[in-house]
Structure formats: C-alpha cells, structure tokens
Amino acid sequence: MKAVKALRTPGGLSLRVDSRAAGVVLLLAAVAAAVAVVLIGSGDFPMSFGDVVGTLLGNGTAAQEFIVQDVRLPRVLVALLVGASLALSGAIFQSLSRNPLGSPDVIGFSQGSTVGALTVIVLFGGGSLAVAGGAVAGGLVTGIAVYTLARKRGVQGFRLVLVGIGVAAVLTALIHFLITKANLVDATRATLWMTGSLDGRDWAQVWPLAGMCAVLMPLVFAHGRPLRMLEMGDDAAYALGVPVERTRVVLMGSGVLFIAVATAAAGPIAFVALSAPQLARRLTRSPGPNLAAAAVMGAALLLFADWIATNAFGDRMLPVGVVTAVLGGGYLLWLLVTERKAGRI
C-alpha cells in the first residue's frame, strides 16, 4: 500500500500528499541544488563547494562575487528554469495524449519555435531579443495549428500525436529550407543556435524566463488534478465534473508557452521534455502527470548535462544540446523497446 496522507489547513482546505512522491521531489531538488553548486564552482576560476555556498550567502571576496553573481549564476538559473519548463511541457502533453511519445519535441512544438527563431535570423537578421520573440511566436502558431488540426469532437491523444508528427516533419523541412537560403554568416549563427546552448547566458535571459515561469507554474499545478482526470478520457473527466475543453485549452496553451520560452532562452534542447516526466513517474511509482517531480527532474537533468558538456571533454566545451541529444537518444531507444515488449506499440 502506498502512503498517502491528507493535510488540512485551518481554512478547511485539504491536500493529499503521496509520501514517496514527496520524498522523490525533495531528493531530486537536493540533487539539482548540489549539481548547481558544483557547476558554479567549475571553470577557469575553480571554487570549492564551500566557497560557492559562502559566496551565494554574501561572504565571498570581490572576485568570487563577480564570478558567481555575474558570470556563472545566471547560466545555472537559466538551466534550472529551462529544464523545469521543458519537463513540465513534456508532462502536460504526455498526459493529454496518454502517450509517452507525446512530447513537444516529437509532436512539432519545438520545431515550430525553431522555425520562428530561424525566420528572424535568416530573413530579418534580428538580434537576440527578436530571435527570442520569433521562437515564442513560432511555438504559439504551431500550437494553434496542431490543436486546430487535431480537434474533432475533442482532441484525442492518438490523433494529437499523429498530427503533431506530421506538422513536425513539415517544419523540419522548412528549417532545412531556411538554412539553405541563408548567407554564410546567418547560416553559421542559425546552426549554432539550433544546437541548444547555455553559453553566454546572463540576467537578461533569466528575468523573462523567471517571470513566465512564475505565472505558468502555479496555473499548471492548479490544474494537476483535472489533468489527471483527463488521462482517464473525456467521458470520465466530464463525469467527475472537469470542464474538459477549457481545461485542455489552458493546459495546451501553458505547455506550448513553456516549450516556446525555454527554446527562446536556450535554443532547441532535445529529449529533456521526453525523458524527464517518464523518469519522474518511474521514481515516484505514482500515476498521473507527477508535475512537481517532473519539473525538478528536468532541472536536474539539464544541469547534469551541462556539467558533462563543460567538464567531460577537457578544454573542448560542447553545447548542452549535444549532450542531451546523445543521452536522450539512448533513452528513446530504450523506451521504444520497453513499449514494444509491453505490447503498447
């Protein structure tokens, strides 16, 4: 039997807490915090774990304050927020589609953000702010298109995945077309952006991303129970009092915004949205979207991947998107084999 406790507030509100899931969330949060401190201490100016913690608490030297506050902390915060955003987007769409392959980088939303950004780079030569705006706009337009094409007496999971894969194929072709039409400078810039990287991230990327997460995360967590009801199908959700269409629109819109702002901040980072929710679900052994566990798992995964990218290859630093693609590709193969053995594909 699973240990599920009900917490009640003086105002009469109650909250059911799965003790194993709560323990997993706390453990993953501790792992993410530890990796973040180690990552901040890595680089050409190495710092010990204690020095990093002391500097974060305001007890460092002037040089340490500069290295931590101005150079490394913004990059780590972007990694935390991007990883959590990707994972939450993946958890939302995997639950809505009731399919572990229903990830935004499989069903076209990541590609839509990439097309939006590349359009700004190749056709208009826009700066970083314009590229970020193009990524968000591309993701939103793709989300509307997929929802419209998949909507027929409700959005069924299998149809959503099929439509999304078709849209992703069209958008991938458009990405290649834009690259071939670009001049050498823009093509190089676009290719570098498409690898997904945290290099050079500063507070200008942190604040918009943090503001969007501060709005979207409470909204999504508040819809955690309706999302779990939707996993049982529209009829069951209706019977349990869930406003199905409104809930689906809110959650899909939030999922698209999560993937769009994450792509705008760090480029298209593959497979975190696919793998983090599934890994979190396996650790918690709990049904449902496991939103909190997925968020901290995504943050921990991206931080760990960035540590590998910056430290595992000597002086040759890799973009974090390369590492997540290698790790995620192996995970995808394992997932496909597992699903095939289970008879689900």
Side-chain angles (χ1 to χ4, degrees), residues 21-307:
V24 168
V25 170
L26 292 176
L27 177 62
L28 289 173
V31 170
V35 176
V37 173
V38 171
L39 192 56
I40 291 173
S42 304
D44 294 333
F45 186 86
M47 297 172 62
S48 69
F49 196 96
D51 286 341
V52 173
V53 174
T55 304
L56 291 172
L57 295 176
N59 300 319
T61 65
Q64 289 173 336
E65 291 280 352
F66 172 76
I67 292 294
V68 171
Q69 300 290 343
D70 296 335
V71 178
R72 296 177 182 169
L73 182 59
R75 176 188 179 121
V76 168
L77 290 176
V78 170
L80 280 167
L81 294 171
V82 167
S85 298
L86 292 172
L88 283 171
S89 181
I92 289 170
F93 285 109
Q94 287 175 11
S95 292
L96 289 176
S97 64
R98 301 192 290 279
N99 191 321
L101 296 178
S103 173
D105 43 8
V106 174
I107 58 177
F109 300 121
S110 295
Q111 291 86 344
S113 294
T114 302
V115 167
L118 291 186
T119 300
V120 173
I121 293 173
V122 173
L123 300 184
F124 303 104
S128 58
L129 185 60
V131 171
V136 174
L140 290 174
V141 171
T142 304
I144 294 171
V146 171
Y147 178 80
T148 302
L149 293 172
R151 188 175 185 273
K152 181 180 180 183
R153 296 188 298 276
V155 179
Q156 301 301 320
F158 189 65
R159 187 162 61 241
L160 176 65
V161 172
L162 286 180
V163 169
I165 290 174
V167 170
V170 173
L171 292 173
T172 300
L174 187 55
I175 289 170
H176 294 318
F177 172 78
L178 288 170
I179 293 294
T180 59
K181 288 296 182 182
N183 58 46
L184 182 60
V185 174
D186 288 340
T188 302
R189 182 185 172 199
T191 302
L192 180 63
W193 183 87
M194 286 174 57
T195 58
S197 175
L198 297 169
D199 292 343
R201 296 305 182 264
D202 56 26
W203 292 104
Q205 283 82 38
V206 173
W207 296 121
L209 184 58
M212 187 63 73
C213 288
V215 173
L216 292 177
M217 285 184 179
L219 179 64
V220 170
F221 287 136
H223 285 77
R225 184 178 179 275
L227 179 58
R228 185 171 177 175
M229 299 299 104
L230 283 174
E231 285 191 344
M232 298 187 295
D234 288 3
D235 292 339
Y238 273 124
L240 293 169
V242 176
V244 170
E245 202 60 30
R246 187 186 71 187
T247 301
R248 184 182 286 116
V249 169
V250 170
L251 288 169
M252 285 190 66
S254 299
V256 169
L257 282 173
F258 269 131
I259 194 70
V261 297
T263 303
I269 296 177
F271 289 113
V272 174
L274 174 70
S275 58
Q278 292 299 312
L279 292 174
R281 183 175 292 197
R282 282 168 169 76
L283 286 177
T284 61
R285 298 179 186 172
S286 176
N290 290 279
L291 295 173
V296 290
M297 174 63 80
L301 280 178
L302 192 56
L303 284 170
F304 181 66
D306 193 39
W307 182 85

